[in-house]
Amino acid sequence: MKLYSHIKKIPEDFVVEEVPALKVVSEGAFDVFILKKRNVSTLEAVRIISKLLKFSLKSIGFAGLKDKYAVTTQYITVPSGKITEEKLSFYNDGRWRVGKRQSNSSFEIKFIGKSKKPLTIGNIYGNKFTIKIRNFEKSMREKFYRNLQTVKLYGFPNYFGEQRFGSVKSRDDFVLRYILKGDFVKALKVYFLGKEKIDMLTDWQNIYKILKPTLEEYEKDLLRGLLKGLPAEKAFRILPKNIRVMFNFAFQSYLFNRILGEYILNKYPYRQVPFINNWKLYFYLEVPDFEYFKNLQIPYTGKDLPPEDSLLKKVMKKVFKEEKVTPSVFDMEIAGMKVMTDGQRKAVVIPENFKIVSKTKKDVTIQFILPPGSYATILLRALLSV
């Protein structure tokens, strides 16, 4: 993808620092640690902490997921006394170990105080990004500075970034589409294979044999269950809940992006920028009614929070029709989870403290703060048009 020919050449090109809302105190029921990691996801880091220090994964609190291929700093909480050392390092030399050693993937935790409450998802002020953009040739520089003026005036559309679509293995294909139809066999095949390979591998035995070296333990358990005759819906429930809910998040995020894009397309002058899976994103060039638009909230389904904006109402109806989403699936409970729930997300995000840290003829380093849930990669696409 073109964007990634300019960013994340090494993890140090993409630095993320959590801006905490957590109040650190001298006494409390929870210990607060700073987690600094390189080339490892938040979920993997907390799983390793839990496994190697031998306490429950569920007892580790954190406010959000940080990029894997990056250097990131965030806060975690654990019940007091679970971790006795004030500072611990972890490295991977083929398997994860406690200790400090040169390693491509590593992280460390450092005790900084206590909290009366555990951290929960979203409990942060925002994230501070410091990003190096490489191969910053003349044509890109011109686009960058022109687009930067638009961002300074109007912010940028609050699309979900590609990280939200990790469970999407092929274009316009979502596991949730099949779950909503009750087709768990196809849902699982899409999960393991992606849409293109479904017809190539139809037998669970072959799927298990071919994929076994790359599977997580719960995925092996799921396939073994199917081989023993377990119904597909019950096998699906073997997937951890955080994986299952991601199927819902991915599809609803896709619908949100489509709705926001169609709204911009129908109301403002725009430029089209390529996105993953041959999808397109639309970025406005100017917004005459910005005082209105910057406060616009877009509902996910409109069931509980119906839109008042007539254009938004029309766009949502059009997108849902094209995607074959009917009101009957809103708030549906299926496979142990509630899906297609309502909520709201702002249409626009305005970066704070944007500045150019350094620049040369070949690269530029920028820094800014975004609120929780907004994506630096979307801002980069807005600035670079890639």
Side-chain angles (χ1 to χ4, degrees):
M1 201 187 302
K2 199 173 178 185
L3 175 63
Y4 289 90
S5 65
H6 298 281
I7 64 169
K8 293 191 173 187
K9 290 297 180 183
I10 58 173
E12 285 74 14
D13 284 353
F14 204 93
V15 177
V16 189
E17 301 166 77
E18 196 168 80
V19 183
L22 179 73
K23 190 174 181 181
V24 180
V25 294
S26 57
E27 292 185 10
F30 297 89
D31 292 337
V32 183
F33 289 82
I34 288 181
L35 164 63
K36 185 173 183 179
K37 59 184 185 65
R38 181 188 190 275
N39 198 27
V40 56
S41 71
T42 301
L43 288 177
E44 185 175 11
V46 297
R47 183 177 62 81
I48 296 304
I49 292 168
S50 163
K51 183 179 179 181
L52 296 186
L53 302 185
K54 295 181 170 53
F55 64 91
S56 169
L57 177 60
K58 290 180 181 178
S59 66
I60 303 176
F62 54 89
L65 304 178
K66 302 292 179 277
D67 296 75
K68 177 181 178 178
Y69 196 69
V71 174
T72 73
T73 304
Q74 67 185 109
Y75 295 78
I76 64 170
T77 56
V78 299
S80 290
K82 289 285 185 185
I83 301 175
T84 54
E85 294 86 350
E86 293 214 346
K87 188 175 181 180
L88 280 173
S89 298
F90 302 78
Y91 69 94
N92 189 341
D93 63 354
R95 57 181 287 190
W96 281 100
R97 306 174 190 272
V98 177
K100 199 171 181 92
R101 189 179 293 182
Q102 198 70 23
S103 171
N104 191 42
S105 300
S106 61
F107 63 93
E108 66 175 33
I109 55 173
K110 183 180 179 182
F111 175 76
I112 59 164
K114 291 184 174 286
S115 171
K116 292 180 179 178
K117 295 180 179 178
L119 269 171
T120 53
I121 295 293
N123 186 24
I124 55 171
Y125 175 76
N127 292 294
K128 179 181 175 183
F129 296 87
T130 306
I131 298 170
K132 177 174 277 192
I133 302 167
R134 297 182 183 267
N135 306 319
F136 197 57
E137 66 272 7
K138 185 182 176 184
S139 61
M140 177 164 280
R141 282 201 302 274
E142 290 170 353
K143 282 191 289 188
F144 172 87
Y145 287 111
R146 184 172 63 247
N147 294 336
L148 180 57
Q149 294 311 307
T150 303
V151 168
K152 284 181 175 179
L153 285 172
Y154 307 119
F156 64 96
N158 199 17
Y159 292 118
F160 286 99
E162 48 266 51
Q163 301 94 314
R164 192 74 164 186
F165 302 100
S167 65
V168 184
K169 290 187 168 69
S170 55
R171 184 184 176 188
D172 292 348
D173 197 41
F174 294 87
V175 171
L176 192 74
R177 286 191 194 275
Y178 303 102
I179 294 171
L180 294 175
K181 296 174 187 173
D183 190 346
F184 285 91
V185 170
K186 201 158 188 180
L188 286 170
K189 286 186 175 179
V190 168
Y191 170 72
F192 283 111
L193 304 170
K195 195 174 185 178
E196 288 84 0
K197 296 177 184 175
I198 283 181
D199 297 328
M200 294 166 57
L201 289 169
T202 56
D203 181 74
W204 292 123
Q205 183 70 54
N206 287 337
I207 292 171
Y208 180 68
K209 185 178 178 181
I210 291 168
L211 298 183
K212 187 178 178 182
T214 64
L215 296 177
E216 297 284 351
E217 283 304 317
Y218 59 79
E219 293 173 323
K220 292 176 186 175
D221 289 342
L222 189 161
L223 286 168
R224 289 187 198 114
L226 288 167
L227 290 171
K228 291 176 182 175
L230 190 68
E233 182 176 354
K234 287 188 176 179
F236 181 83
R237 290 174 184 249
I238 292 173
L239 291 171
K241 190 166 185 179
N242 67 316
I243 301 289
R244 285 182 277 137
V245 297
M246 282 305 299
F247 301 141
N248 182 61
F249 291 159
F251 189 50
Q252 288 204 253
S253 300
Y254 166 75
L255 294 172
F256 177 92
N257 281 6
R258 277 217 58 198
I259 290 164
L260 177 54
E262 289 275 347
Y263 188 92
I264 291 168
L265 193 67
N266 280 276
K267 193 170 184 181
Y268 305 115
Y270 67 90
R271 58 193 162 87
Q272 182 178 290
V273 173
F275 193 42
I276 60 168
N277 298 333
N278 292 326
W279 302 337
K280 308 293 181 191
L281 298 178
Y282 302 97
F283 291 89
Y284 44 73
L285 301 175
E286 60 178 336
V287 185
D289 62 345
F290 186 62
E291 285 305 307
Y292 169 77
F293 188 52
K294 73 178 183 181
N295 295 310
L296 180 66
Q297 298 266 4
I298 296 180
Y300 293 125
T301 68
K303 180 186 176 185
D304 302 320
L305 301 161
E308 295 179 5
D309 184 300
S310 59
L311 175 59
L312 181 56
K313 198 179 293 185
K314 182 180 173 184
V315 164
M316 290 181 70
K317 187 175 180 180
K318 175 179 182 284
V319 169
F320 288 154
K321 184 178 180 181
E322 289 175 356
E323 298 295 338
K324 298 181 173 59
V325 173
T326 63
S328 63
V329 302
F330 298 161
D331 290 333
M332 179 183 279
E333 292 199 31
I334 189 166
M337 59 180 180
K338 199 171 188 179
V339 299
M340 295 299 293
T341 55
D342 209 2
Q344 287 181 324
R345 180 177 172 88
K346 290 193 77 169
V348 174
V349 60
I350 301 169
E352 291 185 26
N353 301 343
F354 187 100
K355 62 182 176 181
I356 295 172
V357 177
S358 65
K359 58 182 176 178
T360 68
K361 287 183 179 179
K362 293 185 177 180
D363 58 57
V364 62
T365 299
I366 60 175
Q367 190 175 84
F368 51 88
I369 295 173
L370 295 181
S374 293
Y375 289 80
T377 49
I378 297 296
L379 174 54
L380 291 170
R381 291 181 189 280
L383 291 170
L384 304 175
S385 294
V386 293

